[in-house]
Amino acid sequence: MEQGEKLALEFQSLFDLEIELPDACREAEARIAEGIPAVIEEAWGNGEHPGIKPSMVYDGIRYAVRARDLAGDAGALEIAIGEVGARWDIDEFVRIPVDLTGSCMYSTLSVEADQRLGPKLDRISSALQQYLQSGYRRMETHVVAELLRVEHRLAIDLYADVRAAVKDPAGTHVGLYCLLPNGQAMYLLDPLDG
């Protein structure tokens, strides 16, 4: 199963739980981050040694992944790929900056790798960009759905109170509006309206 599909299933079960929305978002972001090494492995294309773990082998050398937030920039994520067991000289690595769009925790991604991995870097960067943006879009969809569910529950309760207090059929002709802090109004949908 591809990492994006796996993430979609995990989000479905995560947001179906009765936990607070901020906690669900933190857990969703953690699951997105946990999938990064697998996305790199999928993009790696290990034709040299298929089925061998770790599968990130190139020209007979095994490589590992490290991900971290960049110090001083909460919106930047750095992914480094270097030889297992060797000292990593990041100054010698090839670097590809990637912009992330949407409601991501990160707005930029820096993919850095040992110079010998240059031929693989574009494919890996592209896969990471797609995975992160897709993951955050999925998370955003679940958040919006949860907020709409709360709003809809509130509207149902308010309309039930109105219908209990106002005699039929007048109660069915009441429309509820909410005044927002910015001065705009919002109509609360009536679940009994066709």
Side-chain angles (χ1 to χ4, degrees):
M1 178 184 301
E2 182 212 278
Q3 282 303 305
E5 293 169 357
K6 180 181 173 199
L7 195 60
L9 291 174
E10 288 179 8
F11 280 5
Q12 186 63 47
S13 63
L14 174 65
F15 282 92
D16 282 347
L17 298 174
E18 295 290 325
I19 61 176
E20 296 290 322
L21 195 54
D23 294 335
C25 289
R26 275 191 291 281
E27 179 64 25
E29 286 178 341
R31 291 184 186 187
I32 290 170
E34 288 169 4
I36 288 173
V39 170
I40 293 172
E41 262 190 60
E42 286 173 6
W44 189 268
N46 193 24
E48 187 177 341
H49 301 283
I52 294 176
K53 293 288 184 185
S55 62
M56 292 176 27
V57 176
Y58 187 63
D59 282 343
I61 299 169
R62 289 185 328 150
Y63 291 90
V65 176
R66 295 180 190 156
R68 68 180 176 99
D69 294 346
L70 281 178
D73 187 354
L77 177 65
E78 180 181 68
I79 306 291
I81 306 169
E83 183 178 345
V84 171
R87 183 183 164 279
W88 294 13
D89 187 356
I90 300 294
D91 294 333
E92 299 284 324
F93 278 22
V94 178
R95 181 174 289 115
I96 294 181
V98 178
D99 289 327
L100 300 172
T101 59
S103 300
C104 300
M105 177 179 175
Y106 300 107
S107 57
T108 59
L109 168 69
S110 176
V111 182
E112 304 174 349
D114 186 298
Q115 292 179 357
R116 296 171 284 189
L117 298 177
K120 293 187 173 283
L121 212 48
D122 283 336
R123 185 172 57 225
I124 290 169
S125 298
S126 178
L128 284 169
Q129 180 185 39
Q130 290 173 358
Y131 170 75
L132 290 169
Q133 289 179 167
S134 167
Y136 277 101
R137 264 193 317 275
R138 285 184 172 103
M139 186 177 93
E140 183 179 18
T141 299
H142 285 285
V143 169
V144 168
E146 190 60 32
L147 292 174
L148 288 173
R149 196 174 2 257
V150 168
E151 179 186 323
H152 192 66
R153 181 77 246 156
L154 173 66
I156 289 171
D157 292 345
L158 288 173
Y159 278 110
D161 288 345
V162 167
R163 290 199 174 91
V166 179
K167 300 271 188 226
D168 279 337
T172 60
H173 297 293
V174 172
L176 298 175
Y177 292 84
C178 175
L179 185 60
L180 301 174
N182 64 5
Q184 294 181 333
M186 178 177 74
Y187 173 66
L188 295 177
L189 296 176
D190 186 348
L192 295 182
D193 278 353

